């Protein structure tokens, strides 16, 4: 076997301790797959308020770290827990920074001290390694909240022997979130002003945590091969495309996997009745339960569409809004679970009042309901403007819930258009970002739904598709090995 590595995964959210989106799922699942490959894998995250509610439990380590913030020093208190029994997770606690709910900000905007909060976390990642005597071969950072770790290693810690052999991998989960702050935050971070250049951390006169990572990390990854290409273009690059093109040799796209321990209708404790591809009876029980939960008045054969999503324009909500009337005219029903942009929250709440029998709306974040929706509906809509990977469509496959998606990023990579002649394929895709193209995809999907034998075949294809983590973890393992030779 390849060399056993010491790997630290740093992320601002890790399931089941804290979750706002797909990042948490990945940061919770990848370590398990890497552990199975024999690596010494650990995880580090902030001790957000919600962490205390996790059934896995956390305990104080009796250790602390002292972190310079501008002219002052702040303390981080360390806690630990075990993911899957044998993976240590470390939490950096600081009441004033992290004892908050929600994690990143309120509906009125991000917390004004987010720069300082994550400057503190990034330095803590390195100080915790020293404090517990863990010399990682790889620190695998994720998204802008961990973006300064590579910058610290290449500057402030450049001569620190403890990290002499440590390399960094940085994963982009969503290029749209960049952590761009006033340049004065460089001082808070204690990073040299010399990195505030076009080739460094400067981004349109701001200090960018994301760009710092794109420049200073030894290797870059993102969460699907298509997204890896897209982000090097102007259309998807969020003005970072030039930086990414400059590093294209070091940028790899690896499609995320699915944690089938968590997302599997055969064993899922959250759903009404378990089922699998051979024994489907449970799916109907789940559909009836879902209709009940949302007080929908539908028949067993009413096509039921769903979304479980952040309510953000990225997710193509505008297209859905423009297509919903047609969908209802076709005799379909619709449920949505989501939170985010108040404009969308209000729209869906109104729609629910207008069509209480046909449209179900739950505003908020509800892990159990997410499982119930994926199990109980017939179709999942994901018409995203852009989609780095997307996990929900891969979860829905396993539950025999057919995805109708825009062919972009990870959606393009994970869903194969169903061909009614060959009976191959797993879902329905469209490309131009217009309501009309979404409508056509929906109509195609409905026509297959109405032909029982085709529908049986399509949903069997979906439930048998395998997106387990093994493949992805193997690729990460290879990349880690390659970066150590740099
Ligand atoms: P993103 O990370 O862009 O939000 P993904 O599809 O990659 O999108 O991952 C979303 C994850 O968050 C999935 O696990 C999905 O079930 C979950 N999720 C999104 N919104 C909600 C919600 N309102 N309630 C519960 N889970 C949600």
């Amino acid at each position: 076997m390849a060399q056993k590595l010491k790997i630290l995964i740093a992320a601002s959210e890790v399931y089941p301790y804290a979750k706002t989106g797909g990042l948490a799922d990945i940061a919770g699942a990848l370590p398990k797959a890497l552990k199975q490959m024999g690596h010494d894998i650990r995880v580090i995250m902030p001790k957000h308020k919600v962490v205390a509610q996790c059934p896995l439990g956390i305990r104080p380590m009796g250790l602390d770290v002292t972190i310079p913030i501008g002219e002052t020093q702040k303390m981080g208190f360390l806690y630990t827990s075990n993911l899957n029994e044998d993976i240590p997770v470390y939490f950096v606690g600081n009441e004033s920074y992290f004892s908050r709910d929600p994690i990143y900000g309120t509906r009125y905007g991000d917390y004004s001290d987010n720069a300082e909060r994550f400057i503190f976390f990034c330095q803590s990642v390195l100080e915790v390694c020293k404090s517990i005597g863990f010399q990682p071969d790889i620190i695998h950072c994720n998204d802008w909240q961990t973006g300064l770790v590579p910058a610290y290693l290449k500057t402030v810690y450049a001569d620190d022997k403890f990290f002499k052999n440590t390399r960094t991998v940085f994963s982009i989960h969503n290029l749209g979130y960049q952590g761009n702050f006033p340049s004065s935050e460089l001082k808070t971070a204690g990073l040299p002003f010399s990195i505030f250049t076009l080739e460094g951390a400067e981004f349109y006169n701001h200090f960018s945590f994301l760009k710092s990572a794109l420049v200073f990390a030894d290797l870059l990854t993102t969460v699907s091969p298509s997204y890896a290409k897209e982000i090097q273009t102007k259309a998807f690059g969020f003005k970072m495309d030039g930086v990414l093109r400059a590093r294209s040799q070091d940028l790899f796209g690896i499609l995320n996997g699915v944690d089938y321990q968590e997302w599997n209708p055969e064993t899922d404790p959250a759903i009404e009745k378990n089922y699998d591809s051979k024994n489907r009876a449970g799916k109907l029980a789940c559909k009836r339960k879902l209709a009940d939960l949302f007080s929908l008045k539908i028949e067993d054969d009413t096509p039921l569409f769903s979304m479980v999503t952040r309510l953000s324009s990225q997710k193509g909500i505008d297209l859905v809004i423009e297509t919903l009337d047609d969908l209802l005219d076709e005799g379909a029903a619709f449920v949505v679970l989501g939170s985010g942009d108040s404009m969308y929250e209000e729209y869906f709440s109104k729609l629910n009042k207008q069509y209480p029998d046909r449209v179900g709306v739950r505003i908020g974040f509800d892990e159990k309901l997410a499982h119930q929706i994926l199990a109980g509906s017939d179709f999942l809509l994901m018409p995203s403007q852009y989609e780095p990977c997307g996990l929900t469509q891969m979860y829905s496959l396993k539950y025999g819930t057919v995805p109708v998606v825009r062919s972009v990023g990870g959606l393009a990579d994970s869903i194969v258009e169903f061909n009614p002649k060959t009976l191959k394929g797993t879902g329905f895709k469209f490309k131009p970002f217009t309501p009309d193209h979404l409508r056509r995809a929906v109509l195609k999907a409905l026509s297959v739904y109405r032909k029982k034998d085709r529908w049986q075949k399509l949903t069997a294809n979906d439930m048998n598709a395998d997106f387990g983590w093994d493949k992805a973890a193997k690729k990460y393992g290879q990349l880690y090995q390659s970066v150590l030779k740099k």
Side-chain angles (χ1 to χ4, degrees), residues 65-76 92-94 96-98 100 112-125 127 145 148 152 156-157 184-191 207 209:
V65 288
T66 305
I67 305 296
I69 295 290
E71 307 284 297
T72 64
Q73 309 269 331
K74 302 276 175 165
M75 299 279 282
V92 185
N94 177 296
S96 75
Y97 287 140
F98 299 128
R100 301 184 195 179
S112 59
D113 59 349
N114 271 354
E116 189 173 322
R117 297 171 76 216
F118 290 101
I119 284 169
F120 175 81
F121 178 59
C122 288
Q123 293 188 87
S124 299
V125 169
E127 287 303 317
Q145 297 88 351
L148 297 186
Y152 280 114
V156 179
Y157 289 80
S184 56
E185 298 291 0
L186 267 166
K187 207 163 167 216
T188 317
L191 284 164
F207 168 31
F209 285 29

Side-chain angles (χ1 to χ4, degrees), residues 87-101:
I87 301 169
V89 183
Y90 306 113
F91 302 87
V92 185
N94 177 296
E95 283 285 307
S96 75
Y97 287 140
F98 299 128
S99 203
R100 301 184 195 179
D101 218 0

Side-chain angles (χ1 to χ4, degrees), residues 336-357:
V336 57
L337 164 63
S339 63
D341 195 321
S342 55
M343 181 178 77
Y344 297 133
E345 291 187 353
E346 281 156 27
Y347 170 83
F348 282 123
S349 302
K350 253 194 225 151
L351 196 75
N352 182 214
K353 288 207 182 87
Q354 201 179 341
Y355 302 106
D357 299 345

Side-chain angles (χ1 to χ4, degrees), residues 379-399:
F379 297 99
L380 177 85
L381 287 180
M382 256 177 112
S384 307
Q385 257 173 15
Y386 71 93
E387 194 58 74
C389 176
L391 292 169
T392 321
Q393 84 281 6
M394 294 195 277
Y395 299 157
S396 84
L397 289 176
K398 190 69 182 168
Y399 287 79

Side-chain angles (χ1 to χ4, degrees), residues 41 54 58 63 100 206 303 347 395 474:
I41 174 104
C54 179
I58 65 165
L63 292 173
R100 301 184 195 179
H206 279 70
Y347 170 83
Y395 299 157
K474 215 165 144 200

